């Protein structure tokens, strides 16, 4: 919200010497986030005056139209003679009043003006556009043409209010009242301890039977609708300079008088308004929910298909506006075209000032991707009591500036409602802040905000209509604390008990992160929000438990309304994004929480803020939360080992993903086993199912391998991308992180190699398990060092697996017979279980 200091001074008598920086400091202390103070015209220096164009000579022979003008600037040039100026703009004529900058002046940006020869003529100054003066867009894209009654020679810096300070305030979602000059003025008055001249305190006539007919069919969506009518507007009437300048300073573009007035009142009072061309409205104005599939062309010229939840304004034809968001093109205010003698100009208008439901407006604006100044205010909360005053203010300005006549009819449709009251202990702010304010201070601060306060030890507080964000006792405590000054709160450092340090779970997470980083992976932190369509892209079955998601009540992005049940969507998106930016050799990892809904949904209670929550409070809160196990995942693509003078390098493959799982398991001290698997996004022939034993039963804790080509294509990933994901909490549960000193034997090792031929479909892990069990206690280690396939030598559908078996005893040197016997026993068990036969 941009707030000109000159406009703010109309409602608060700030000291004349008070600067924008000083006001900024006061408002920040009161809790408003004033980001910047813009100094308009800080580097502007005159003479800058009003001139009248006397003659225009068209210069020929140039690539673009050039005009040589003489301009009367009165005595501003010291001689009274016409000023000769070369200008390329064409939106002004002889007799027009324009803004002239004379030699010796400086324009915004440090641009100095002097007499100079150009296009064969000497130009003594410039005829200015709004951009050249730093005024912003005025819609003309050309020279500023002033009203005919403007005095020649008048100082244009003062006339156009070019020197000012503008506060740029980042208004939070709960402070919709500060999206208006009125709201910021109220905060300024409180900060300075000065009275407020409330612009909404107007004499407003009561409703009567002569107003324009209005029917509200959805009181929950629209609890207040005020309609006023103004007739006889002059088609030639234009917005005065002061009104245009104020709109420009707050960041809006002047359009036409009727529209400018509604925008001006919205910025002044915070109440969005809409003006309808009365002759284009057919029949009764209505407010209802849209019918599914209805269509409307909004003011931006886009045809929109309506949703059944959209709240719309209608007449006898159907929708004529999206309530609280944007009006329709059918009833748009038509401006006067001088070339057509006023044909088509709007002379009679209906003013709408209504109060719409915050949630309904927010959802409609998001659904149609149509954010407007009106929707921004309704989403954050608008004062319902200001509607009548805003309509009256609009009527008064149209009568004053356009010569219109206010009709006597006043329409007000109001749904009955009671003011919101809160019961709070007088010392509640003291307990929250840890400071003794006292009852008098609490009552005074709440009254400054606009609350009505009654009671002694227990206060009954009636919240003002412009503060819908004040809903409970803690909100009132916050008001007292912020107005007394956050900087006045004592700083007390907490004293944690000594000797606790990191938990075992935290130490494991750090070890896993360090181990993966040491293995060449880069940590990527991703948002936990996903779309449900990603599960289709990952190829999950319709009944897969991962499809059961926790949905957010108010998502940041409508396209990602759910919390993740897997780390892969975020990591794969990061992989795709980095690959698209030229980083093709990638190895990323993430450890983070996933979210799994509980079978019985519970609603979390609000925890107290004036005391430490009890263990029961925290337990009840945790019971209402979804299960949140911590997972670890990696994704790989491109080269795993770079090529160079040392060798050819190699690409990342499924084995690297499996090894990442082994790395994590080693850090957790868990016995992780692998077997052939098939799940979701992984290639069915290159997927390892990862299991551990939990309470005597085998449990699948993750998968690793190469991604399915279909998934790679759908997600736009690099070819042969690989991934792994594990449930880290389960590994922690079954793991043993107590350091175990290795048993080192002083006796030599006996190595025996064995090559076994098995069917191609037999997993090497099954063969290895049989060999390990058959070899017995003498087996120190086993390693698969060769896989060979040759149909001519081994037969169709057969493969050879070569293992190195290392035997060692703790108390003696093994004989050849002992090592060979252990080897033969291992081979026999492998043959029995997998059908393996010795090769050769």
């Amino acid at each position: 919200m941009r707030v000109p200091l000159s406009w703010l001074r109309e409602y608060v008598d700030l000291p004349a010497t008070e600067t924008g920086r000083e006001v900024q400091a006061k408002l920040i202390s009161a809790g408003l986030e004033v980001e910047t103070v813009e100094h308009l015209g800080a580097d502007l220096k005159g003479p800058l005056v009003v001139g009248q164009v006397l003659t225009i000579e068209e210069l020929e022979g140039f690539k673009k139209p050039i005009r040589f003008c003489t301009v009367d600037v009165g005595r501003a040039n010291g001689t009274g003679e016409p000023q000769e100026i070369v200008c390329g703009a064409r939106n002004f004529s002889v007799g027009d009043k324009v803004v002239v900058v004379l030699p010796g002046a400086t324009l915004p940006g440090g641009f100095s003006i002097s007499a100079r020869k150009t296009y064969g003529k000497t130009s003594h100054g410039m005829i200015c556009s709004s951009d050249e003066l730093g005024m912003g867009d005025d819609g003309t894209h050309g020279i500023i043409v002033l009203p005919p009654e403007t005095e020649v020679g008048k100082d244009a810096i003062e006339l156009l209010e070019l020197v000012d300070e503008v506060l740029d305030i980042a208004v939070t979602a709960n402070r919709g009242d500060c999206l208006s000059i009125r709201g910021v003025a109220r905060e300024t008055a409180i900060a300075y301890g000065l009275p407020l001249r409330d612009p909404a305190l107007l004499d407003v006539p009561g409703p009567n039977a002569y107003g324009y007919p209005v029917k509200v069919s959805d009181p929950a969506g629209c609890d207040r609708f005020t309609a006023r009518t103004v007739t006889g507007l002059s088609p030639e009437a234009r917005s005065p300079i002061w009104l245009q300048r104020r709109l420009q300073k707050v960041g809006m573009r002047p359009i036409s008088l009727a529209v400018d007035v509604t925008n001006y009142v919205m910025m002044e009072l915070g109440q969005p308004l809409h003006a309808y061309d009365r002759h284009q409205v057919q029949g009764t104005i209505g407010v209802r929910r849209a019918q599914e599939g209805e269509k409307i062309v909004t003011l931006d010229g886009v045809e929109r298909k309506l949703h059944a939840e959209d709240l719309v304004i209608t007449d006898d034809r159907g929708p004529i506006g999206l309530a609280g968001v944007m009006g329709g093109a059918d009833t748009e205010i038509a401006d006067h075209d001088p070339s057509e003698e006023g044909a088509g100009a709007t002379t009679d208008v209906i003013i709408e000032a209504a109060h719409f439901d915050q949630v309904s407006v927010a959802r409609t604006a998001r659904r149609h991707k149509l954010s407007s100044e009106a929707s921004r205010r309704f989403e954050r909360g608008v004062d319902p009591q200001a509607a009548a005053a805003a309509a009256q203010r609009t009527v008064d300005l149209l009568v004053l500036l356009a010569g219109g006549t206010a009709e006597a009819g006043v329409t007000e449709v109001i749904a009955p409602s009671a003011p919101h009251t809160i019961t709070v202990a007088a010392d509640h702010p003291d307990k929250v802040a840890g400071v003794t304010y006292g009852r008098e201070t609490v009552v005074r601060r709440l009254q400054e905000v606009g609350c009505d306060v009654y009671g002694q030890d227990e206060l009954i507080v009636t919240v003002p209509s412009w503060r819908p964000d004040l809903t409970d006792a803690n909100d009132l405590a916050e008001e007292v604390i912020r107005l007394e000054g956050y900087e006045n709160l004592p700083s007390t450092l907490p004293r944690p008990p000594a000797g606790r340090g990191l938990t075992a779970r935290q130490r494991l997470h750090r070890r896993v992160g360090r181990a993966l980083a040491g293995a060449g992976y880069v940590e990527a932190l991703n948002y936990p929000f996903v779309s449900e369509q990603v599960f289709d892209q990952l190829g999950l079955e319709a009944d897969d438990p991962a499809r059961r998601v926790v949905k957010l009540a108010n998502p940041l992005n409508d396209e990602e309304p759910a919390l993740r049940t897997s780390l892969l969507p975020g990591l794969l998106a990061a992989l795709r994004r980095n690959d698209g930016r030229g980083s093709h050799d990638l190895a990323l990892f993430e450890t983070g929480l996933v979210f799994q809904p509980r079978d019985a949904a519970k609603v979390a209670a609000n925890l107290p803020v004036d005391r430490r929550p009890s263990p029961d409070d925290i337990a009840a809160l945790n019971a209402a939360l979804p299960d949140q196990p911590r997972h670890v995942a990696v994704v790989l693509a491109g080269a795993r080992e770079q090529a160079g003078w040392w060798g050819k390098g190699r690409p990342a493959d499924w084995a690297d993903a499996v090894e990442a799982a082994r790395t994590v398991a080693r850090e957790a001290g868990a016995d992780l086993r692998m077997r052939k698997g098939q799940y979701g996004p992984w290639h069915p022939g290159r997927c390892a199912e990862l299991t551990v034993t939990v309470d005597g039963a085998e449990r699948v804790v993750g998968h690793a391998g190469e991604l399915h080509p279909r998934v790679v294509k759908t997600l736009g990933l690099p070819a042969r991308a690989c991934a792994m994901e594990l449930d880290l909490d389960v590994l922690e549960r079954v793991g043993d992180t107590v350091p175990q000193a290795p048993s080192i034997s002083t006796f030599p090792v006996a190595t025996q190699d064995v090559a076994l031929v098995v069917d191609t479909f037999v997993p090497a892990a099954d063969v290895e398990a049989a060999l390990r069990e058959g070899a017995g206690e003498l087996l120190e280690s086993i390693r698969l060092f060769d896989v060979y396939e040759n149909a001519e030598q081994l037969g169709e559908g057969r493969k050879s697996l070569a293992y190195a078996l290392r035997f060692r005893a703790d108390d003696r040197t093994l004989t050849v017979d002992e090592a060979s016997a252990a080897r033969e026993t291992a081979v026999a068990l492998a043959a029995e279980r997998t059908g393996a036969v010795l090769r050769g």
Side-chain angles (χ1 to χ4, degrees):
M1 175 67 190
R2 291 170 56 85
V3 180
L5 193 59
S6 59
W7 198 350
L8 193 62
R9 289 181 183 275
E10 281 199 9
Y11 310 127
V12 184
D13 289 326
L14 294 172
T17 57
E18 201 75 357
T19 65
R21 293 290 184 191
E22 292 167 332
V23 176
Q24 177 189 30
K26 283 282 191 180
L27 291 179
I28 289 176
S29 179
L32 291 186
E33 186 179 346
V34 185
E35 293 186 326
T36 59
V37 178
E38 183 179 353
H39 297 269
L40 302 181
D43 52 356
L44 177 64
K45 185 179 75 172
L48 188 71
V49 299
V50 176
Q52 184 172 21
V53 180
L54 300 179
T55 64
I56 298 177
E57 178 187 350
E58 301 289 346
L59 301 182
E60 304 293 340
F62 300 102
K63 293 182 179 179
K64 62 179 181 178
I66 299 297
R67 313 168 93 187
F68 181 65
C69 311
T70 58
V71 185
D72 178 13
V73 295
R75 303 293 302 178
N77 57 4
T79 64
E81 297 294 325
Q83 201 79 1
E84 296 180 339
I85 299 174
V86 175
C87 183
R90 309 190 63 79
N91 68 311
F92 64 96
S93 307
V94 172
D96 283 345
K97 302 288 181 65
V98 294
V99 178
V100 178
V101 57
L102 301 177
T106 303
L107 293 182
F111 182 57
S112 299
I113 302 299
S114 60
R116 65 189 184 95
K117 190 167 184 178
T118 178
Y119 297 103
K121 301 285 186 180
T122 300
S123 181
H124 298 271
M126 286 175 54
I127 301 175
C128 297
S129 68
S130 60
D131 285 340
E132 291 165 340
L133 297 179
M135 295 170 57
D137 184 13
D138 63 356
T140 64
H141 303 291
I143 294 302
I144 301 171
V145 178
L146 300 171
E149 64 272 13
T150 309
E151 178 185 350
V152 172
K154 184 177 178 63
D155 183 1
I157 295 179
E158 178 183 351
L159 175 69
L160 299 177
E161 302 177 10
L162 297 179
V163 178
D164 202 349
E165 292 181 277
V166 179
L167 310 177
D168 193 351
I169 303 175
V171 179
T172 54
N174 65 320
R175 291 303 304 272
D177 60 305
C178 288
L179 284 174
S180 67
I181 304 297
R182 179 196 184 200
V184 177
R186 184 181 292 108
E187 291 296 315
T188 306
I190 295 173
Y192 279 90
L194 296 171
L196 169 71
R197 288 188 293 274
D198 192 343
L201 294 180
L202 302 174
D203 291 329
V204 179
N208 53 51
Y210 309 108
Y212 197 90
V214 173
K215 180 182 179 182
V216 177
S217 302
D218 191 337
C222 175
D223 58 5
R224 185 179 294 263
F225 195 106
T226 300
R228 301 288 298 275
T229 305
V230 181
T231 60
L233 301 180
S234 171
E236 290 80 17
R238 291 290 176 268
S239 300
I241 293 174
W242 64 266
L243 191 148
Q244 293 187 45
R245 286 297 295 134
R246 286 192 170 178
L247 289 178
Q248 288 174 329
K249 289 177 184 178
V250 298
M252 302 191 76
R253 180 173 64 87
I255 298 174
S256 64
L257 178 58
V259 176
D260 291 349
V261 167
T262 58
N263 286 337
Y264 177 85
V265 175
M266 175 179 66
M267 303 307 296
E268 181 181 54
L269 301 182
Q271 168 66 53
L273 302 109
H274 190 70
Y276 300 94
D277 187 327
R278 182 176 182 179
H279 298 295
Q280 301 300 325
V281 178
Q282 298 180 13
T284 301
I285 292 178
V287 183
R288 61 169 172 81
R289 298 289 172 175
Q291 298 174 8
E292 190 69 39
E294 275 189 305
K295 295 182 179 179
I296 182 176
V297 178
T298 46
L299 287 174
D300 57 358
V302 177
E303 183 180 76
R304 303 181 185 278
K305 187 176 181 180
L306 300 179
H307 188 274
E309 291 184 5
D310 292 334
L311 193 66
V312 293
I313 311 297
T314 65
D315 64 4
D316 290 350
R317 296 167 296 179
I320 59 173
L322 280 173
V325 181
M326 185 174 286
D330 289 343
T331 57
E332 181 179 6
I333 298 294
D335 199 7
H336 168 57
D337 184 348
S339 65
E340 298 183 11
E341 300 297 330
T346 297
T347 57
D348 301 341
V349 298
I350 301 171
I351 305 300
E352 166 212 306
H355 184 259
F356 300 111
D357 176 61
Q358 291 178 239
V359 175
S360 176
V361 172
R363 288 179 175 172
T364 296
R366 290 187 182 185
R367 188 178 298 116
H368 295 283
K369 297 179 175 59
L370 187 61
S371 180
S372 64
E373 291 290 343
S375 68
R376 285 184 62 215
R377 284 160 176 78
F378 280 121
E379 289 173 15
R380 289 163 174 78
V382 169
D383 180 6
Q385 303 292 337
Q392 182 63 45
R393 177 75 163 136
T394 305
V395 169
D396 292 343
L397 287 173
L398 288 176
V399 170
L400 174 67
L401 302 177
T405 301
E407 290 195 350
V410 177
T411 302
E412 275 196 18
V413 179
I414 302 175
S417 62
H420 180 55
T421 60
I422 302 170
T423 300
V424 57
D427 62 350
H428 182 67
D430 301 2
K431 294 179 179 179
V432 173
V435 176
T436 302
Y437 293 122
R439 178 187 178 280
E440 290 186 2
T441 299
V442 171
V443 171
R444 174 172 57 84
R445 288 303 191 183
L446 292 179
Q447 288 175 338
E448 287 176 347
V449 172
C451 298
D452 290 331
V453 185
Y454 302 95
Q456 292 298 318
D457 293 339
E458 188 173 76
L459 305 179
I460 300 175
V461 182
T462 302
V463 175
S465 59
W466 56 82
R467 291 299 302 276
D469 59 304
L470 302 181
T471 60
D472 56 40
N474 293 325
D475 294 329
L476 300 180
E478 181 184 4
E479 292 300 297
V480 174
I481 295 168
R482 75 174 180 88
L483 295 179
E484 284 295 306
Y486 290 119
E487 67 276 11
N488 296 323
L489 294 177
S491 298
T492 305
L493 293 176
R495 294 184 178 181
R500 292 190 176 182
L502 297 176
T503 65
R505 188 178 192 228
Q506 291 170 330
R507 289 195 296 271
L508 172 60
H509 298 164
R510 294 194 179 190
R511 288 201 310 274
V512 167
R514 285 194 293 266
L516 290 175
Y521 291 85
V522 177
E523 186 171 15
L525 301 178
N526 298 291
Y527 285 118
F529 313 118
V530 297
S531 68
E532 294 183 84
Q533 287 72 29
V534 75
F535 302 124
D536 296 327
Q537 297 170 338
L538 292 177
L540 300 187
E541 298 292 338
D543 58 348
D544 194 294
R547 286 182 176 270
R548 292 186 62 231
V549 295
V550 178
K551 290 190 176 180
L552 299 171
N554 188 22
L556 296 179
N557 183 350
D558 288 338
E559 295 180 358
E560 296 179 335
L563 292 172
R564 66 189 179 191
T565 57
S566 167
L567 300 182
L568 288 184
L571 274 178
L572 293 176
L575 183 74
R576 178 180 63 247
R577 185 164 54 251
N578 282 276
D579 180 72
R581 294 176 180 175
S583 298
H584 304 302
D585 303 325
L586 296 161
L588 308 177
F589 85 93
E590 180 178 10
T591 61
L593 301 179
V594 298
F595 304 85
Q596 299 168 351
R598 297 180 188 267
D599 294 333
K602 298 181 180 179
V603 178
N606 291 328
L607 294 182
V609 296
D610 59 342
R611 60 178 173 82
R612 180 182 177 85
S614 68
D616 290 340
D617 291 334
I618 296 176
L621 178 63
N622 288 332
L625 298 177
D627 289 327
Q628 301 176 57
R630 183 173 289 270
H631 282 199
V632 57
V634 305
V635 293
L636 306 99
R640 185 66 177 131
E641 295 178 2
Q642 294 291 337
W645 58 265
W646 52 85
K648 296 181 180 180
R650 69 174 183 84
D653 61 17
W654 60 269
D656 294 302
V658 173
E659 182 57 31
R662 289 196 178 102
T663 299
V664 174
R666 282 194 296 270
E667 294 299 325
D671 180 17
L672 187 68
R673 293 179 293 279
M674 291 84 174
R675 65 189 182 199
K676 182 179 180 181
Q678 182 173 347
Y679 177 71
W682 280 278
H683 192 299
R686 297 167 189 165
C687 173
E689 190 173 72
L690 311 174
T691 67
V692 295
T693 300
V694 181
D695 298 331
E698 191 175 54
R699 178 171 171 180
V700 177
V701 291
H703 295 83
E706 183 179 318
L707 295 177
H708 198 290
R710 182 172 58 251
V711 173
V712 169
K713 181 178 180 181
T714 302
L715 294 177
L717 302 174
R720 309 301 289 269
C722 302
M724 178 277 294
E725 183 167 14
L726 277 172
D727 189 328
L728 193 54
D729 282 356
V730 176
L731 291 184
E732 178 191 6
R733 177 181 168 187
V734 303
D736 182 6
T737 58
V738 177
Q740 299 290 334
S743 175
I744 301 176
S745 174
T746 59
F747 296 96
V749 65
T751 302
Q752 295 273 352
D753 292 345
V754 59
L756 301 176
V757 178
V758 295
D759 291 334
T760 305
F761 62 83
V762 175
D766 291 351
V767 178
E768 179 179 325
L771 290 172
R772 186 184 299 276
E773 182 179 344
E777 295 181 353
L778 293 179
L779 182 68
E780 182 179 79
S781 67
I782 181 171
R783 179 174 61 90
L784 174 68
F785 66 85
D786 184 56
V787 178
Y788 177 72
E789 294 184 27
N790 188 311
E792 293 182 1
Q793 296 183 15
L794 304 178
E796 192 70 32
R798 305 281 282 174
K799 66 182 178 182
S800 170
L801 303 175
Y803 294 89
L805 287 73
R806 292 167 58 92
F807 298 97
R808 195 195 309 257
D810 294 333
D811 56 351
R812 67 189 187 280
T813 298
L814 293 177
T815 65
V816 174
D817 291 340
E818 287 178 308
S820 297
R823 171 181 177 272
E824 296 302 327
T825 304
V827 170
L829 187 60
E832 178 184 340
R833 291 189 177 177
T834 66
V837 296
L838 280 172
R839 181 179 169 188

